[in-house]
Amino acid sequence: MVTMTYGEAAKNALHEEMQRDPTVWALGEDLRRGGVFGQYKGLPEIYGPDRISDAPISEAAIMGVAVGAALSGTRPVVEMRFADFALCAVDELVNQAAKARYMFGGQAKVPIVVREPMGMWRSSAAQHSQSLESWYTHIPGLVVVCPSSPVDNYGLLKSAIRCDDPVVYMEHKNLWALEGEVDNNDPLPLGRCRFLRKGTDITLVSWSATVHETMAAAKTLNDAGASVEVIDLRTLWPWDKERVFDSVKKTGRLIVAHESVQAGGFGAEIAATVSDVCFRDLRAPVKRLGAPRVPIAYAPPLEDTVRVTAAMIAETARKLMKM
Amino acid sequence: MTADPRTPGAARNLDLDRLLAHHKLMWRIRAFEEAALRANTEKLVLGAIHPSIGQEGIAVGVCSNLRTDDILASTHRGHGHTLAKGANPTAMMRELLGREGGTSHGKGGSMHIADFSVGMLGANGVVAANIHITAGAAHAIKLRGEDRVACSIFGDGAINRGPFLEGLNWAKVFELPALFVCEDNGYASTTRTADMTAGPGPAARAQAIGLPAVEVDGNDVVALDEAVRDAVAAIRAGGGPRFINAKTYRLTGHTAADPDGYRARDDVAAAWKRCPITRLAQTLADAGVRGDQLAAHERDAIEEMDAVYDDAKAAPWPPLSRAFADVQDVGDPRNGAY
């Protein structure tokens, strides 16, 4: 059992996968200095510029080159710096990476991991703060992963690198320094959620940084006498439907909480599916908590107004439970 | 006596066997596309077909200098490139008709024609997207220390999209084994490229990025063959990326359905006189090749592609389960995860 940060966990995972498989390499801007958030620190010295490869500020080329290199027998790990910048490479990700296997009839797969640091990061404003995970869940061909803890960032990144599909891997910028225990060396399965609390009165589903707000809300609710189940979805596509259904069938209540915009968000997909499948088990309407449909502001108080907080989650839960 | 290496004809030291093979392959491409157009007319092909009739010299001049294990990434106008890279025309025609046994099991069609078994990594429906993919394939080749070459063929419309700058810059920065060939037919879809392009054009832009770039008459397969041979040799020797701008003319509309109203009929008629097949036939005739030998190439190609066409017409549709295959492993729709 080792304690490490979310950033170190990812670095260790990449390091071990690069040791294990000589076809794994990373490319992106500022990798030579260890990445914008230090998540590659030390790796350039070990693997040299060919395998931890600095790139021009040229996101479309980084992504497109990764696709060509994946089709030609390597496993690139693509660093996009900020999820927002991946929008410069949407053709390469959506039209090329996600489509190549299908439209060429399975002649090749595209084993790339696209790391897109996501979410609000103090006073970074509208172009460095987005949570666009729902977009990618809409695209057939992509796997979408949003880890919330060091142990998950370690195990899920390993699986993402070993996966033959293009994986959009979204680490949260506010979590890089988060410390936690990493208790084994194995990859964690993609598509499986994690139960962070077991309970019988209400199910709270979340992912990425909002998991921590959700856990804080659960503690408050627990102190007030409610039995709360908390699920960290971890992988958004495919999402662990059956285990969410089982939980809702037990509790009869569901709140999905996420940092991204609520309208058209992935919370809507979960709410609709659960309402459909678990209708007879529900004791209250399914609730979604996400950001209002506004860009993220610069000034801290303005930025904070769009955050989904533990207090909001707890308040919504109280209403559902008539506490 | 020194012959001008860019002037075909009797004064040159011609490799007749090679040029006869070129002539034969150009006819096969022409006949394949004539059959594809027929399939379009007969509504056996419902999606778009982008014919490369008149541009066969480029497919042949480029691909005859590539090995099977070299990589090619092509454009939406890619039938000729794919055939020239060595793909099986029967599987290709089945793909155009969306039939089982097609190169991509009927899931890609004409615009995404691909045969990875001969290094042809696909035609692309997005203009210029193949440039990045080529740079990536070349990057992988370099990482793995192989002596292969990655090549992309794209149209002149592609030079106004970002991937042209980004992909060429990438290839040069990393000194990758990449050959970029601009199939410069003067039109970007139905718009004259010159009207939408600032500056002197493709080769100058490549040179500005530091790639050695040459301009060649793409309808002169003899000249193009030489230029590509030199470029590929330099690339394989570790010389970094090269660029060739091959001037040509598309003798049909942009797609099979395009009435081509934007070009003067006189210009198109004049272009037919510069047809690369006719031109090579003249070179061969001048060098003493008998007319019936050349005529046999045409006849054999038409016979071959007629048979290919009949085969595709008779081929079954893919089983419907194919619609759900090859999406992804994790979250595969067949596992109920949708």
Side-chain angles (χ1 to χ4, degrees):
Chain A
M1 187 113 63
V2 189
T3 300
M4 62 182 82
T5 66
Y6 185 81
E8 286 165 350
K11 181 185 66 190
N12 291 346
L14 178 58
H15 177 29
E16 288 170 22
E17 290 307 299
M18 289 181 73
Q19 264 182 328
R20 192 185 62 80
D21 180 351
T23 70
V24 177
W25 62 296
L27 66 164
E29 299 151 16
D30 293 319
L31 293 197
R32 197 176 303 171
R33 62 164 251 219
V36 178
F37 302 100
Q39 70 273 46
Y40 297 85
K41 224 174 175 68
L43 298 182
E45 291 76 8
I46 300 169
Y47 293 104
D50 282 349
R51 290 187 69 196
I52 298 288
S53 190
D54 247 353
I57 298 180
S58 196
E59 286 78 12
I62 294 167
M63 193 82 79
V65 159
V67 174
L71 291 172
S72 307
T74 67
R75 304 182 85 86
V77 175
V78 177
E79 178 55 54
M80 277 286 122
R81 232 160 176 257
F82 294 92
D84 317 72
F85 298 168
L87 303 187
C88 300
V90 162
D91 174 66
E92 288 71 16
L93 178 55
V94 172
N95 283 327
Q96 312 300 332
K99 304 292 190 291
R101 178 174 170 188
Y102 189 84
M103 72 186 187
F104 299 138
Q107 293 186 64
K109 295 179 179 181
V110 185
I112 65 173
V113 179
V114 182
R115 293 177 78 176
E116 298 195 17
M118 70 186 288
M120 281 189 269
W121 189 42
R122 178 82 321 156
S123 289
S124 297
Q127 294 172 343
H128 289 70
S129 297
Q130 294 170 91
S131 299
L132 300 174
E133 66 273 28
S134 301
W135 289 20
Y136 300 116
T137 63
H138 197 70
I139 306 299
L142 299 179
V143 176
V144 184
V145 181
C146 298
S148 72
S149 66
V151 65
D152 287 349
N153 205 15
Y154 175 85
L156 293 171
L157 185 56
K158 283 195 148 193
S159 289
I161 292 169
R162 294 183 193 190
C163 180
D164 281 341
D165 299 322
V167 179
V168 179
Y169 195 88
M170 308 184 86
E171 290 149 299
H172 198 288
K173 283 165 282 188
N174 258 354
L175 299 180
W176 289 118
L178 178 75
E179 289 194 333
E181 285 169 353
V182 176
D183 54 4
N184 72 64
N185 295 322
D186 296 329
L188 288 166
L190 301 172
R192 289 285 273 180
C193 68
R194 186 191 284 278
F195 283 79
L196 297 178
R197 284 184 80 108
K198 287 285 193 178
T200 52
D201 293 332
I202 188 164
T203 303
L204 306 181
V205 170
S206 188
W207 55 88
S208 193
T210 311
V211 164
H212 302 283
E213 297 298 322
T214 305
M215 282 299 281
K219 185 171 183 313
T220 309
L221 293 163
N222 186 66
D223 292 348
S227 171
V228 182
E229 190 141 293
V230 176
I231 295 176
D232 177 356
L233 212 52
R234 303 196 296 187
T235 302
L236 267 62
W237 200 269
W239 63 287
D240 199 347
K241 277 187 205 172
E242 293 303 329
R243 298 219 286 174
V244 172
F245 296 159
D246 289 347
S247 174
V248 173
K249 282 173 185 165
K250 179 175 66 178
T251 64
R253 299 182 183 92
L254 172 66
I255 298 173
V256 186
H258 54 72
E259 187 176 307
S260 49
V261 169
Q262 183 171 313
F266 199 63
E269 173 68 21
I270 296 172
T273 310
V274 166
S275 300
D276 185 3
V277 175
C278 307
F279 182 71
R280 288 173 195 286
D281 301 295
L282 286 170
R283 293 192 270 169
V286 177
K287 286 298 206 187
R288 288 176 289 151
L289 289 172
R293 197 169 174 278
V294 295
I296 309 296
Y298 170 77
L302 302 185
E303 187 188 81
D304 286 340
T305 60
V306 303
R307 284 181 191 276
V308 171
T309 61
M312 287 164 65
I313 299 167
E315 178 58 24
T316 305
R318 277 194 204 96
K319 280 184 187 157
L320 287 186
M321 290 187 285
K322 299 189 169 62
M323 281 172 75
Chain B
M1 186 183 76
T2 45
D4 176 1
R6 294 282 177 266
T7 308
R12 300 172 63 182
N13 189 15
L14 298 174
D15 178 345
L16 284 185
D17 286 344
R18 185 173 176 83
L19 293 184
L20 281 167
H22 286 356
H23 185 258
K24 192 171 177 172
L25 181 53
M26 285 162 83
W27 263 118
R28 291 179 68 231
I29 295 170
R30 175 74 55 94
F32 180 89
E33 292 207 308
E34 295 285 4
L37 288 173
R38 197 157 79 238
N40 187 268
T41 307
E42 293 179 15
K43 303 215 181 304
L44 291 165
V45 170
L46 299 176
I49 287 221
H50 300 78
S52 65
I53 289 172
Q55 304 185 170
E56 297 89 347
I58 296 173
V60 172
V62 172
C63 295
S64 59
N65 288 287
L66 298 176
R67 304 191 312 231
T68 304
D69 69 339
D70 288 330
I71 285 167
L72 179 72
S74 176
T75 69
H76 52 279
R77 201 178 304 289
H79 306 145
H81 309 149
T82 309
L83 263 174
K85 193 72 175 65
N88 176 341
T90 302
M92 284 176 63
M93 189 62 78
R94 284 187 177 212
E95 186 62 30
L96 264 56
L97 269 63
R99 304 306 170 98
E100 183 64 354
T103 42
S104 301
H105 307 299
K107 299 207 289 195
S110 164
M111 251 189 293
H112 308 303
I113 197 82
D115 188 344
F116 281 58
S117 72
V118 295
M120 187 355 208
L121 263 52
N124 210 301
V126 179
V127 169
N130 58 330
I131 297 175
H132 282 150
I133 290 170
T134 299
H139 206 122
I141 289 167
K142 191 182 177 199
L143 282 175
R144 299 168 75 167
E146 298 163 342
D147 76 335
R148 297 193 288 161
V149 169
C151 171
S152 56
I153 306 179
F154 46 86
D156 39 318
I159 72 163
N160 287 326
R161 284 209 64 233
F164 179 83
L165 168 67
E166 296 194 36
L168 264 59
N169 179 65
W170 188 289
K172 186 59 191 167
V173 163
F174 293 100
E175 291 292 351
L176 300 178
L179 173 65
F180 299 101
V181 179
C182 180
E183 197 165 53
D184 185 355
N185 65 23
Y187 282 81
S189 184
T190 62
T191 300
R192 218 166 69 92
T193 309
D195 294 344
M196 292 292 147
T197 305
R205 288 187 182 185
Q207 276 163 351
I209 298 171
L211 274 74
V214 293
E215 293 257 12
V216 187
D217 181 346
N219 282 16
D220 178 356
V221 70
V222 183
L224 185 63
D225 193 10
E226 282 181 10
V228 177
R229 187 192 61 207
D230 293 349
V232 168
I235 294 165
R236 238 189 269 283
R242 293 286 191 276
F243 186 92
I244 293 173
N245 191 52
K247 304 282 269 184
T248 186
Y249 197 86
R250 158 164 60 71
L251 292 170
T252 67
H254 170 58
T255 64
D258 169 19
D260 192 14
Y262 44 89
R263 301 190 299 189
R265 292 304 92 191
D266 287 353
D267 290 352
V268 179
W272 272 103
K273 293 186 179 132
R274 302 190 302 272
C275 159
I277 303 184
T278 314
R279 189 155 162 185
L280 179 59
Q282 189 59 53
T283 302
L284 288 166
D286 290 349
V289 175
R290 294 205 335 262
D292 58 347
Q293 197 177 351
L294 298 174
H297 286 169
E298 176 178 1
R299 196 180 55 241
D300 292 350
I302 292 170
E303 259 176 40
E304 179 193 3
M305 298 310 169
D306 279 351
V308 157
Y309 180 58
D310 290 341
D311 165 87
K313 239 163 99 164
W317 295 110
L320 297 186
S321 60
R322 284 226 189 267
F324 297 91
D326 304 317
V327 178
Q328 55 194 107
D329 292 325
V330 177
D332 185 324
R334 292 170 301 181
N335 296 339
Y338 62 96

